Amino acid sequence: MARSNPGLLLGLLLLRLNWCLAVDGGGAEEGGGVFPVVVSTWPFREAVRAAWDVVKTGGAGGSAVDAVVAGCSACEELRCDGTVGPGGSPDEKGETTLDALIMNGKTMEIGAVAAMRYVKDAIMAAKLVMEHTGHTLLVGEKATSFAISMGLAGPTNLSSPESIEKWSNWRQNNCQPNFWKNVAPAGNCGPYHPINIPKDPVKSAVWENQGITCQEWLQNDNLLEPTSSHFNSVNRHNHDTISMAVIDKMGHVAVGTSTNGATFKIPGRNTTRSFLLICISTSEILWVGDGPIPGSSAYGDDEVGACGATGDGDIMMRFLPCYQVVESMRLGMEPRDAAVDAISRIARKYPDFVGAVFALNKKGVHAGACHGWTFQYSVRNSSMQDVEVITVTP
C-alpha cells in the first residue's frame, strides 16, 4: 500500500476547513450580505441597535421575530420622529392611536393591530395576535381589549402635551391643512358634507343587511378617500412609519412596522396615509391604514427576502409595493432592480406621489428606491462596527 503524503493530507485538511469557514460565515455581495442583518426605514439608529443586540446572540433567544419586536419597541419608546409610538401625530379629534404589524417569514404567520387606543405597546400587541390567535388583524376598541387581556399595560392616555398643543394650533388655523376633499365647508373644521357627489342607488342595496349605521354613513358619503390636495406636505416628521426587516443567523426572515399615523388624519385612519374601510356590525366604522396590511408596508419570506416601505401610503397601498418587491426578487431580480420596479409602477400612475422602499434578499444584499423625496435607511450586519445610514436619491 502506498504511503500517505503528510503534506497532501494537511493541504486537503486546510482546504476543507477554509470551505467550511466560508460557508458558515456567509458571503458578502454588493456591499451587503453578512448575517445577521437588520434594515430599517430612516436613520432610526437606536431601533436598529436594539434589534441588533437581540439578533447577534443567535439561537432561540436571537430570533428575527424577537429582534423586530425589540427594534420597533425601541422606536415606540423613543417616539421616533414623533410618528411612532404614543405622544405624536394627533388625529383631527386630537387623539393618538397606533398601528403595528409583524410577519414571520419562516411560517408566513402575521399579527397586526390597527387604530388601537389606550395601549402604547403596539408591536407587542401585534406579536400577541400572531402567537395567540388564529387571526391576522384586530382593530379599534377590540384590539385594545385584546391587548389588555393578554397582559399589556392599559388603558393609557396616548396623547402628550406636545401632541395636544400641535392639535390646538391646527384647530386655531381652521383645521388646515386636512385630508378631506369634495366637501363643504372647505375652509374650516366642519362638520363636512359632500359636494357634487351624485346619489348612488347601488349603495343602499349593497348594504341593505348591514344595519342603519352603515347605510346612513354611506348615504352621507363619508366614504370619501381621505387624500386631500390641501395636504401635500408629506415628510418623515409628520407622516411616517418604522418598517424593519431582520435576517437572523439561521437565515430566517421577519418584518415589522409601527406607527401612530399621519398628523391630523381623519379619525380611525392610521399609518402612512392609506385606508381600508371596515364596517364592524352596526356600531363601529374605521379606516385602517397600510401599516398593518401585509404586502403594503412590509413583507417577508425566508425563501426570498424582505421589504419595507414608507411614504404616501394612501397611494402606495393600492400597489402592495412590498409584496411586489419580494415577488420580483423571487423571479430573479436583484434587490435594487426590484425596489426601482416597485416604485416605478406607482410613479407611472401617480407622478406626484412621495414614497420609498428598501429591498433585502435572502443573501443579505440590500438596496432602496424612492420617488419625490430623498430617502434614508439604516443597516447593521456583522461586517459593520455600528449602524450605517444609506442615502437614496430619486
Side-chain angles (χ1 to χ4, degrees):
M1 179 179 295
R3 296 178 61 186
S4 299
N5 186 324
L8 178 61
L9 290 175
L10 179 61
L12 290 172
L13 179 61
L14 289 173
L15 178 63
R16 173 64 177 171
L17 178 60
N18 286 337
W19 180 83
C20 289
L21 288 173
V23 173
D24 292 342
E29 293 185 28
E30 300 178 11
V34 181
F35 293 154
V37 59
V38 179
V39 183
S40 168
T41 52
W42 302 116
F44 295 152
R45 292 178 176 85
E46 293 305 318
V48 173
R49 288 178 183 130
W52 179 255
D53 286 344
V54 173
V55 77
K56 71 180 181 181
T57 63
S63 73
V65 168
D66 289 339
V68 167
V69 172
C72 290
S73 292
C75 223
E76 291 169 356
E77 182 69 24
L78 293 169
R79 303 182 181 184
C80 291
D81 279 342
T83 61
V84 180
S89 297
D91 63 25
E92 68 175 19
K93 300 298 184 184
E95 184 179 8
T96 297
T97 55
L98 305 179
D99 285 4
L101 170 146
I102 190 162
M103 181 174 186
N104 184 332
K106 178 182 179 181
T107 64
M108 306 305 284
E109 292 176 299
I110 298 167
V113 293
M116 185 174 68
R117 309 170 72 191
Y118 308 131
V119 175
K120 64 182 180 65
D121 302 307
I123 192 67
M124 291 184 182
K127 184 171 183 277
L128 288 169
V129 173
M130 181 177 73
E131 293 185 340
H132 298 287
T133 81
H135 302 309
T136 294
L137 172 65
L138 298 180
V139 299
E141 299 285 2
K142 301 306 180 183
T144 302
S145 297
F146 168 80
I148 293 173
S149 74
M150 295 300 290
L152 296 183
T156 301
N157 183 4
L158 300 183
S159 297
S160 67
E162 294 80 9
S163 68
I164 295 301
E165 181 182 8
K166 182 184 294 186
W167 175 74
S168 297
N169 292 337
W170 178 73
R171 292 280 297 180
Q172 292 173 13
N173 193 42
N174 295 318
C175 301
Q176 303 299 315
N178 62 52
F179 290 98
W180 291 94
K181 71 175 186 179
N182 300 327
V183 295
N188 63 35
C189 296
Y192 302 103
H193 306 285
I195 58 173
N196 301 324
I197 305 293
K199 290 186 176 181
D200 187 348
V202 176
K203 288 180 178 177
S204 294
V206 170
W207 293 85
E208 181 178 356
N209 296 321
Q210 298 300 317
I212 191 66
T213 302
C214 286
Q215 185 181 26
E216 288 183 346
W217 187 71
L218 285 168
Q219 287 175 344
N220 288 334
D221 263 301
N222 285 324
L223 186 56
L224 292 174
E225 181 179 317
T227 310
S228 174
S229 60
H230 300 297
F231 208 124
N232 295 321
S233 56
V234 177
N235 63 71
R236 55 176 277 214
H237 299 291
N238 68 7
H239 198 93
D240 194 36
T241 301
I242 180 173
S243 184
M244 177 175 283
V246 175
I247 304 179
D248 63 25
K249 288 185 176 180
M250 302 299 293
H252 298 314
V253 174
V255 296
T257 65
S258 185
T259 183
N260 56 38
T263 305
F264 312 132
K265 59 189 172 282
I266 296 171
R269 180 253 165 260
N270 263 32
T271 73
T272 45
R273 288 186 71 195
S274 62
F275 75 99
L276 172 66
L277 171 67
I278 296 179
C279 184
I280 304 173
S281 183
T282 61
S283 61
E284 188 173 13
I285 298 169
L286 300 173
W287 270 288
V288 175
D290 72 321
I293 306 302
S296 186
S297 62
Y299 197 75
D301 185 339
D302 273 17
E303 297 178 359
V304 183
C307 168
T310 183
D312 189 345
D314 278 322
I315 301 300
M316 298 176 75
M317 187 181 184
R318 302 166 191 175
F319 296 82
L320 296 179
C322 276
Y323 179 79
Q324 181 65 55
V325 165
V326 171
E327 291 308 303
S328 292
M329 291 193 298
R330 191 189 305 277
L331 295 175
M333 278 193 185
E334 292 299 315
R336 184 178 304 278
D337 295 333
V340 169
D341 174 70
I343 291 296
S344 297
R345 289 169 183 260
I346 306 172
R348 284 197 295 269
K349 298 288 187 179
Y350 295 94
D352 295 328
F353 102 98
V354 174
V357 298
F358 68 75
L360 174 68
N361 72 14
K362 66 181 181 180
K363 299 176 183 178
V365 179
H366 53 83
C370 61
H371 184 85
W373 59 5
T374 296
F375 171 56
Q376 292 182 305
Y377 67 95
S378 303
V379 184
R380 176 73 199 268
N381 63 31
S382 58
S383 71
M384 301 172 179
Q385 295 301 311
D386 197 4
V387 178
E388 295 183 6
V389 176
I390 310 298
T391 299
V392 182
T393 57

